[in-house]
Amino acid sequence: MKFRNFKMVGYVIYGRGSFGQLDEILAPNRKGDAPMIFFVDHVFENKPALTGRIPLRGKDKVIFINVTDEPKTTYVDKIRDDLKAEFGEVSGIVGIGGGSVMDMAKAVSLMMNNPGSSADYQGWDLVKFPGVYKVGIPTLAGTGAEVSRTCVLTGPTRKLGMNSDFTPFDQIVLDPELIKDAPVNQRFYTAMDCYIHCIESLEGTYLNAFSRSYGEKALELCQEIFLRKDNWDDDADEKLMMASYAGGMSIAYSQVGVAHAVSYGLAYLLGIKHGIGNCIVFDKIEEFYPAGVKEFKQMVEKHNIDIPQGITKGLTDADFNKMIDVSLGMAPLWENALGPTWKEQMTRDRLRALYEKF
């Protein structure tokens, strides 16, 4: 019998205002005059309330990461090449933003020390060497990217993560102040990534006591925040940040399921971002998660959230086949959702009918 020897994040700091300790956290990890590189979500450009607090030293550099589209392998490779050309080596990469920025930080960290293209490492346990020191600092909560062993990238042929024991951050900074005042719709879409993690983990065939313990707590926090609270407050930010962490831990020892497997196809073909893509899919898959979808719809109604409809209308057969190919490539997700006979259950025709619902 094989058990996963799970690699966790090296260090975790949590607390309102903990971002203020970043300078002292980074100091012992600096290597000579090699700079720390700060990847910052482009929405914070020209917003000194955050960028003015970044502890720049020496040759340190801030790079604003454009997350209009989800991270592409070509984008990762270009930034890696630019950094090597400018600095040779760096002390580390610090990702400040949502899941896409944190995934970019993880990916570029790995590619600073691994040859070739990041597309070569899309899959499971393909990364050969540890990356440079890397720090994740979420400004949106829900993806679990701060604790996951993957960084999801869109490559030339597929959307798939660099899943490896070298991928998790060396340090994360969980400061609820940083997720305050996030746009309501964006906060909801990202938070629902966490909620859906929990449903898929807790109802999956890979479930064990480790996953259940984290998943149940994250689910409880999501239900409290989105169903029982009438106003968004500091307490909601704190609980959502911890729900994201626990939800990420829940899938670390199990897996996600149908919503994620299907939304990967939408993202690859249509460029739909992960959080909203999961919501679009989850809204229509009562046959797999009846109780979870019912509760999700209650949350959508309570918070007056718009879930896009009709996005696959007018697509060609070739378009549908590309989405199906991408989705069926997510074998561990389907096995967690449907068991070892998932290939007999999830035929191409059944998956086509599912995509037509959106």
Side-chain angles (χ1 to χ4, degrees), residues 58-288:
K59 297 189 293 183
D60 289 0
K61 183 173 186 174
V62 172
I63 298 176
F64 290 102
I65 300 296
N66 189 328
V67 292
T68 304
D69 299 314
E70 290 196 314
K72 290 183 169 58
T73 54
T74 50
Y75 194 17
V76 171
D77 296 348
K78 181 181 187 308
I79 292 181
R80 182 270 314 270
D81 293 344
D82 290 347
L83 288 175
K84 286 202 165 192
E86 183 173 0
F87 300 112
E89 64 175 346
V90 301
S91 289
I93 309 285
V94 182
I96 306 172
S100 291
V101 173
M102 289 189 284
D103 279 356
M104 282 291 296
K106 288 190 278 189
V108 174
S109 162
L110 293 174
M111 293 312 300
M112 292 299 291
N113 288 345
N114 283 275
S117 167
S118 51
D120 300 335
Y121 304 100
Q122 287 182 281
W124 280 267
D125 301 306
L126 301 175
V127 180
K128 303 299 184 189
F129 305 106
V132 299
Y133 176 74
K134 53 191 176 297
V135 180
I137 307 177
T139 61
L140 280 170
T143 66
E146 63 271 23
V147 294
S148 75
R149 75 187 296 272
T150 189
C151 45
V152 182
L153 304 174
T154 300
T157 61
R158 56 192 171 175
K159 178 183 174 182
L160 187 61
M162 297 168 68
N163 300 269
S164 83
D165 284 346
F166 297 126
T167 307
F169 285 113
D170 300 294
Q171 169 82 55
I172 58 174
V173 177
L174 304 179
D175 184 346
E177 280 186 1
L178 300 182
I179 66 171
K180 188 179 177 65
D181 300 326
V184 173
N185 268 31
Q186 183 61 59
R187 178 174 65 203
F188 184 87
Y189 297 142
T190 308
M192 285 304 102
D193 191 17
C194 173
Y195 177 78
I196 294 166
H197 284 163
C198 298
I199 299 297
E200 292 180 322
S201 174
L202 292 170
E203 298 190 23
T205 63
Y206 289 1
L207 185 65
N208 53 46
F210 184 102
S211 299
R212 181 184 286 111
S213 300
Y214 283 104
E216 287 178 345
K217 187 59 184 179
L219 182 61
E220 176 190 316
L221 290 167
C222 288
Q223 290 165 335
E224 179 180 349
I225 295 164
F226 289 101
L227 290 176
R228 294 193 284 277
K229 274 184 174 288
D230 291 323
N231 297 298
W232 200 270
D233 55 14
D234 288 349
D235 177 67
D237 285 329
E238 291 167 10
K239 287 176 175 171
L240 180 56
M241 182 156 266
M242 290 316 302
S244 178
Y245 178 90
M249 290 295 294
S250 176
I251 59 171
Y253 225 109
S254 62
Q255 201 31 283
V256 286
V258 176
H260 279 74
V262 174
S263 73
Y264 273 91
L266 293 177
Y268 183 83
L269 183 75
L270 302 175
I272 293 171
K273 288 190 174 182
H274 186 67
I276 193 169
N278 280 345
C279 289
I280 290 168
V281 175
F282 202 68
D283 191 51
K284 298 284 197 295
I285 56 173
E286 296 95 334
E287 63 183 294
F288 300 102

